Amino acid sequence: MSRSLPLLLLLSLSTTPALAASLQLCPGTPVVSPGAITAQTTAPDGSVLHAIVTEEPGKPQANCRMLPLPASVTGVQALHFLPPDARPGKTILLRGIEADKGKSFSVSEHTLVSDQPAPRPQTPMPFGASLLGAMQTRTHGDTERINANLKDGRLYLTCRAGARPAGVALLGPWFMPRAHAVLQGAFSGTGRFAMRIQDGASAKPQAALDLGYLDAGQRVQTARFALPEQLDRANWRQVTLACPQGAATLTLDALTLEAAGDADPAAAPRATWTWSPNEWRERAAPLLDWAAEQKIGAVFITVPLKDGAVADAAQLGAFVRQAGSRGIAVSAMEGAPEMVLPAGQAGAVARMRAYAAYNAAAADGARLKGVQYHIEPYALPAHVLPQAQRDRRYLELAAALHQAGGKLTLDFVVPHWWAGKTGLLDGLAKYADMLTVKSPRTDPEQIYRLAVPFLDWGALHGKTVRVALDAGPIGAGVQRRYERRPPGARGDLLVFELGGQKILLLLQVPAAHDKAQAYALAASQDIDAADASFHADKGALMRLLPQLESVFGTWTSFGGMALHDLR
């Protein structure tokens, strides 16, 4: 961020006094002077409020609240409202677009980091990569008999002869996914080592479940071990190796989680969206030719309605039959955040009944597979729907759609960060046939980590889960991190509370205010769109898909990859 001379020094160099700036909070649509900085919000009572930074002299307009500011209006980069119930902590993250060489900043979203550190979430055990590099060892039993050394991603184990039990536990930082998988070891040495796996809170070796044996020889060999059905994978704790009674050595070169068998890509077809109705109405043949070439087995389309019914049932039926002849299933799609509100729910249910009525009247081969909903209730402002009510309203809508849809497959598009909303997802399992999880990443390891909790959810509840990746353009931006300053200190960001509203004021020149909490800019980094979308390299996406399909296909819940803006 650019820095300039302090305001007082600038004033001392000028012969013309500068006008003092003020922050005003005004209802309605106030008259704003040229050059003023403004932001708008809606109060809980539905009224519109404007925050204004201006150098306009004189009294504020009627019904406006005003605070004097320590900087000229030319030093203000942006204004941004926080929800009235927000509690800014030690860190504020702002995403947005910089302009005019950083002199202005358009804030698109904010994140308030709590003063209390969040617990580090567990990540899923990775596929195909050796686990040893991230594991820890703990010996048990007759520890005089055993020497275990985990070094450079290998386990070196030496056992002395003896009758008393002795062994080593291998502990890792992951949870074990509900995939159809095996543990595979690559090893050499002398002797026969019993291998067990353990779950639950108990750390006693005798509570472990048998996997099998490593019969070590001088040459490196591999062994695969099926995971016991009774293993509680979410509460996996450790793998143990037990020494034989005789002297023995073991070098464990690798321990990996592997697919138990080859996945069948045809069992989980790829899917895509076509947003304009004109695509299937007017250009059906090229659309389906392209879909077949890309191995697309499911297409989501916009189905226009008129007077409570499908607008052109005959044309829709012809398209669905044409797609079916190419092995492509067709589903309707729609969605908006307002659907969780009472009026929006009524309209959504009426439209679902229209889709169900179409299917009831359609001949075999002309019926829609289902309806997919992109609802995104989190996009609603807090004053429209408080955060505490969003999950309840969402489940109420899901229940109503489920009842109205009959035999139509009900698919909900959800963000990856809902993985931690256990109550919401368990409630959704009562109504959803399928989830499509948005995972806007391009790194295979990140895609895997984001997808696994939902694939596990599907395996647990008997539901289908698609994993959605993005190939469309994503706007570039900047993320800034601001850290809280001590009382009275200057900051690049000031948090005011005016008329019950919390307002962020971003400055080019650090300043202090006795009515504000100051934050200092700690870091600023560009948001790399290449991390979230394959738009710049769709070929990389197509090369990655078989790898992802092979891994994800080890889950019974996997319903295929969904590709946004591939065409």
Side-chain angles (χ1 to χ4, degrees), residues 356-379:
Y358 163 82
N359 262 23
D364 289 346
R367 299 188 181 104
L368 293 166
K369 175 70 175 178
V371 185
Q372 184 185 77
Y373 286 92
H374 306 242
I375 299 172
E376 301 179 332
Y378 42 84

Side-chain angles (χ1 to χ4, degrees), residues 252-285:
L252 187 58
D253 295 296
L255 182 66
T256 56
L257 186 70
E258 304 285 349
D262 294 332
D264 179 12
R270 297 169 185 172
T272 194
W273 293 267
T274 176
W275 302 98
S276 171
N278 292 334
E279 284 294 310
W280 64 267
R281 282 175 153 179
E282 302 173 6
R283 296 179 286 275

Side-chain angles (χ1 to χ4, degrees), residues 120-182:
R120 183 179 179 182
Q122 273 195 315
T123 56
M125 184 178 286
F127 259 84
S130 182
L131 308 173
L132 294 175
M135 294 184 112
Q136 296 178 332
T137 62
R138 184 174 62 206
T139 57
H140 55 81
D142 185 358
T143 56
E144 296 295 327
R145 286 190 57 207
I146 187 170
N147 180 44
N149 184 22
L150 190 56
K151 182 180 179 181
D152 298 329
R154 285 183 171 85
L155 174 67
Y156 301 92
L157 191 59
T158 302
C159 297
R160 299 175 181 85
R164 297 178 63 183
V168 62
L170 296 170
L171 303 92
W174 323 276
F175 66 86
M176 185 172 287
R178 297 178 182 272
H180 187 210
V182 298

Side-chain angles (χ1 to χ4, degrees), residues 181-194:
V182 298
L183 279 176
Q184 178 173 294
F187 59 97
S188 61
T190 59
R192 193 176 201 226
F193 295 80

Side-chain angles (χ1 to χ4, degrees), residues 177 335 388 540 550:
S550 177

